[in-house]
Each structure stands twice: as structure tokens, then as C-alpha cells.
């Protein structure tokens, strides 16, 4: 059943992986089906989930996120892996298997590591807060890496 739903969403919306976005110049969508989590000063975009400044270096912080998400069967890393401080994932909702693309980067700053995460739905005009809830969960996974 899951494969049938995933095939349907590809037919209706295109590939589940929406490709990369430039998180440094991010512009939010005009419809409420995206969400941003960020450390203070990491983005000019409106932030839904506040992230701290992290004590770990960028690559170690992202490796910690990779390990945490590897246990979630509904999240798959889809970037090419050639940019050390960047990740892109596709996450799917549990029942209807709706795909969301999530871009993550981390970079050094004078006080520690800053992170920004952008999650966006492939289908529909609203996600009923699913991306914001996901980013809140991810923030909790990373909380013990904070300064």
C-alpha cells in the first residue's frame, strides 16, 4: 500500500526530493506548508522553531542528526553527501506517505555552531503543522549538543 501511495504522489507532484535550497538566502513560501528552525542570527527568514547555538563543530552536529534520523524509517537522506556541512532528507507521513523535503546546514560562528533547517511539503497548500512538529522533534534530538 505504501508503494502505491508513493507512486501516486510522484504522479501528482513529481519526485519526492524537491532538490536543494540556498538556506543563506531562503524565502518562505506564500502558503503555510513549510517551516523553519534556526539558531539565533542564522537566517533572515521567519523562524517557527528556535534552535540554540551548539557546542559541537558543524560536521559533528550533523553526524549526530544523521544517527538520530537513521532510526526513523520514514526519513531518508537524499543529498549527494559531497557538501560536509549540508544535508537534505525526504520524510514521509506515517499513514498517507506524503513526502516533505528537509534541508539542513550548520556553520561555525564566534560563539559556536549555528544551524538552520527548512522543511517543505511537496503536495497541498497546508500541512496542518506537520513540518513545524517535525522540526520541534529534531530540535529535541539535538538539544544536548547545545552550549
Amino acid at each position: 500500500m505504501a508503494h502505491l501511495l508513493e507512486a501516486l504522489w510522484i504522479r501528482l507532484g513529481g519526485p519526492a526530493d524537491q532538490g536543494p535550497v540556498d538556506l543563506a538566502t531562503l524565502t518562505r513560501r506564500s502558503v503555510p506548508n513549510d517551516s523553519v528552525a534556526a539558531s539565533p542570527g542564522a537566517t533572515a527568514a521567519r523562524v517557527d522553531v528556535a534552535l540554540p547555538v551548539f557546542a559541537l563543530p558543524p560536521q559533528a552536529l550533523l553526524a549526530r542528526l544523521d544517527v538520530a534520523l537513521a532510526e526513523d524509517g520514514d526519513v531518508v537522506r537524499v543529498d549527494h553527501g559531497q557538501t560536509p556541512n549540508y544535508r537534505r532528507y525526504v520524510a514521509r507521513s506515517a499513514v498517507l506517505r506524503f513526502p516533505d523535503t528537509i534541508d539542513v546546514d550548520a556553520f561555525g560562528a564566534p560563539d559556536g555552531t549555528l544551524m538552520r533547517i527548512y522543511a517543505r511539503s511537496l503536495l497541498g497548500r497546508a500541512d496542518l503543522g506537520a513540518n513545524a512538529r517535525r522540526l520541534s522533534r529534531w530540535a529535541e534530538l539535538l538539544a544536548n549538543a547545545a552550549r
Side-chain angles (χ1 to χ4, degrees), residues 49-146:
V49 177
L51 297 175
V53 175
F54 295 94
L56 293 175
Q59 289 182 15
L61 181 61
L62 289 166
R64 182 172 286 188
L65 182 63
D66 286 338
V67 169
L69 296 180
E71 298 173 11
D72 185 340
D74 290 332
V75 179
V76 177
R77 186 172 171 187
V78 295
D79 65 281
H80 53 66
Q82 295 178 350
T83 306
N85 295 344
Y86 170 79
R87 305 285 192 273
R88 188 172 66 257
Y89 305 92
V90 168
R92 293 187 176 276
S93 62
V95 177
L96 294 178
R97 311 293 297 155
F98 291 121
D100 297 332
T101 302
I102 303 103
D103 293 81
V104 182
D105 73 356
F107 55 97
D111 294 335
T113 295
L114 305 183
M115 179 178 269
R116 48 194 171 201
I117 308 173
Y118 180 53
R120 61 205 189 276
S121 298
L122 176 65
L123 301 164
R125 295 185 52 81
D127 69 353
L128 305 175
N131 279 309
R133 285 191 303 279
R134 176 181 296 114
L135 296 189
S136 292
R137 283 193 313 275
W138 290 18
E140 289 176 22
L141 291 171
L142 295 168
N144 63 354

Side-chain angles (χ1 to χ4, degrees), residues 11-27:
R11 178 171 277 226
L12 293 175
D17 177 12
Q18 298 173 61
V21 295
D22 182 352
L23 293 168
T25 61
L26 179 65
T27 300

